[in-house]
Amino acid sequence: MGSHKQDNASEVTEFILVGFSQQPQIQTAFFMGLLFFYLSTMFGNSLIVVVVRWDSRLHTPMYFFLSNLSFLDICYSTSWEPYVLAQCFKDFPTISYSSCYAQMTTSLFLGMTECLLLAIMAYDRFVAISNPLRYTIIMNNRVCIQLALGTWASAFLVAVTPIIAIPAHYCGHNTINHFTCEIQALLKLVCSDTPISLILGLVISVFTLPLPFTFILISYFCIVVTVLKIRSAEARLKAFSTCGSHLTVVTIFYGTAIYMYLKPQSKEYQEEDKVISIFYGAVTPMLNPLIYTLRNKDVKGALRKLAKGNEKS
């Protein structure tokens, strides 16, 4: 009898996305806001990738990882925002089982990659400040490429393997109270007799957030200790300034992510969580290039140089 129930539960072929269907008065504002966030994200992050590639002065480990972060934000935003925009004005749009799982897995994979990449960027800043004379030797091109590939490969294995290896079963429920196949909303529909929710919860709560975040904290503790040993106040300020943009991005990204995924989950998905997910998934990728542009003289100089070059041509 238990086996028969499980077979029936696994017959879900599509999901209904509630989104903001119950609040039609905000759908237009939601569409316009999300469209603005997506276009801004694509423009800003694409510009960072082009500038870093174009200006030879930015061919350093710091900007190599920055361009990786921008490319990652482009991929993450594209993994869900165009679909949501296309479905925005539909009442209770549906998504197939396979498409929903593909969307959830891709978002989890890219989000985890960003967590690990921000940790690598913290390590890069630590090496630059603690060992400036040997910085380019330690963080050579080969090492940078290996670290970047390692973050993508590690995130893929940790995020995708459990989802593929452990099939999920649903107890006849296929209504997701969200506008995407967000993992926390989807796991609420999983039957209690399957371990997938426990395993994926462990993946999110350990590998995605605390582990890389702890590594970042340790890196910045070491940076502070190193900088405090510098006698010149001007040199100390300059050293700290190189970490300002990264620290701002880390604060925004991890602040919203920790609130989203590590707070106690209620049985009913709260409306405020949808708003937080918009900030986490749409606003943060848009802010990253602004933060690095406004706080970084090298990037601003390269942008001015690129703009003047285009004007002459």
Side-chain angles (χ1 to χ4, degrees):
M1 184 69 179
S3 175
H4 180 66
K5 283 184 178 180
Q6 195 175 61
D7 291 340
N8 288 339
S10 63
E11 291 177 0
V12 173
T13 58
E14 65 179 16
F15 294 96
I16 299 172
L17 298 171
V18 174
F20 293 111
S21 297
Q22 296 172 326
Q23 299 169 291
Q25 68 275 11
I26 70 170
Q27 283 183 317
T28 301
F30 173 63
F31 176 84
M32 297 302 296
L34 190 62
L35 180 62
F36 172 76
F37 294 148
Y38 181 63
L39 294 178
S40 299
T41 298
M42 295 299 292
F43 175 76
N45 286 288
S46 298
L47 194 59
I48 292 292
V49 172
V50 170
V51 166
V52 171
R53 180 75 177 176
W54 175 77
D55 196 327
S56 59
R57 294 175 301 176
L58 301 182
H59 292 176
T60 64
M62 175 181 174
Y63 297 109
F64 169 77
F65 292 121
L66 174 59
S67 63
N68 267 265
L69 180 64
S70 293
F71 175 71
L72 185 59
D73 283 335
I74 291 171
C75 294
Y76 182 78
S77 298
T78 303
S79 70
W80 68 275
E81 288 183 58
Y83 173 82
V84 175
L85 288 169
Q87 304 293 321
C88 189
F89 293 106
K90 294 182 180 179
D91 291 330
F92 303 101
T94 59
I95 184 171
S96 68
Y97 179 96
S98 57
S99 296
C100 186
Y101 256 65
Q103 187 182 86
M104 180 191 72
T105 305
T106 301
S107 295
L108 181 60
F109 159 55
L110 294 174
M112 189 176 296
T113 304
E114 183 149 351
C115 289
L116 297 176
L117 184 59
L118 288 173
I120 294 299
M121 293 173 75
Y123 173 73
D124 171 69
R125 291 298 82 213
F126 165 68
V127 174
I129 292 173
S130 64
N131 209 336
L133 298 179
R134 300 186 65 245
Y135 172 58
T136 54
I137 298 175
I138 297 173
M139 300 295 291
N140 57 60
N141 288 338
R142 181 181 176 184
V143 170
C144 289
I145 293 173
Q146 287 176 340
L147 288 173
L149 291 176
T151 59
W152 287 84
S154 299
F156 182 83
L157 290 174
V158 175
V160 177
T161 302
I163 295 176
I164 295 177
I166 306 172
H169 301 283
Y170 297 89
C171 305
H173 304 293
N174 68 335
T175 302
I176 301 175
N177 192 6
H178 208 277
F179 42 81
T180 66
C181 291
E182 203 276 332
I183 186 167
Q184 293 286 11
L186 189 60
L187 288 180
K188 293 180 186 297
L189 307 181
V190 176
C191 293
S192 58
D193 59 350
T194 176
I196 188 171
S197 58
L198 296 175
I199 293 175
L200 289 183
L202 180 65
V203 168
I204 294 172
S205 62
V206 176
F207 291 98
T208 308
L209 293 173
L211 200 62
F213 187 57
T214 301
F215 183 84
I216 291 173
L217 291 178
I218 293 172
S219 297
Y220 271 101
F221 175 78
C222 295
I223 288 172
V224 170
V225 171
T226 302
V227 170
L228 291 179
K229 294 179 181 179
I230 300 175
R231 294 182 179 181
S232 170
E234 184 179 350
R236 285 199 300 268
L237 183 61
K238 184 178 180 181
F240 276 128
S241 67
T242 63
C243 304
S245 298
H246 177 261
L247 198 55
T248 304
V249 170
V250 167
T251 301
I252 296 173
F253 179 83
Y254 275 95
T256 52
I258 288 173
Y259 178 82
M260 275 282 295
Y261 294 110
L262 296 188
K263 68 181 179 66
Q265 294 293 317
S266 60
K267 188 65 178 176
E268 296 297 327
Y269 204 78
Q270 300 296 319
E271 294 299 313
E272 66 180 34
D273 289 343
K274 297 179 187 179
V275 178
I276 295 297
S277 70
I278 295 171
F279 189 88
Y280 168 76
V283 179
T284 302
M286 180 193 71
L287 290 178
N288 287 350
L290 289 175
I291 293 169
Y292 276 100
T293 301
L294 295 176
R295 296 180 60 90
N296 193 295
K297 294 180 180 179
D298 293 335
V299 175
K300 287 191 289 187
L303 288 171
R304 283 194 293 266
K305 185 178 176 182
L306 179 62
K308 290 179 181 178
N310 290 335
E311 288 175 2
K312 291 178 181 179
S313 61

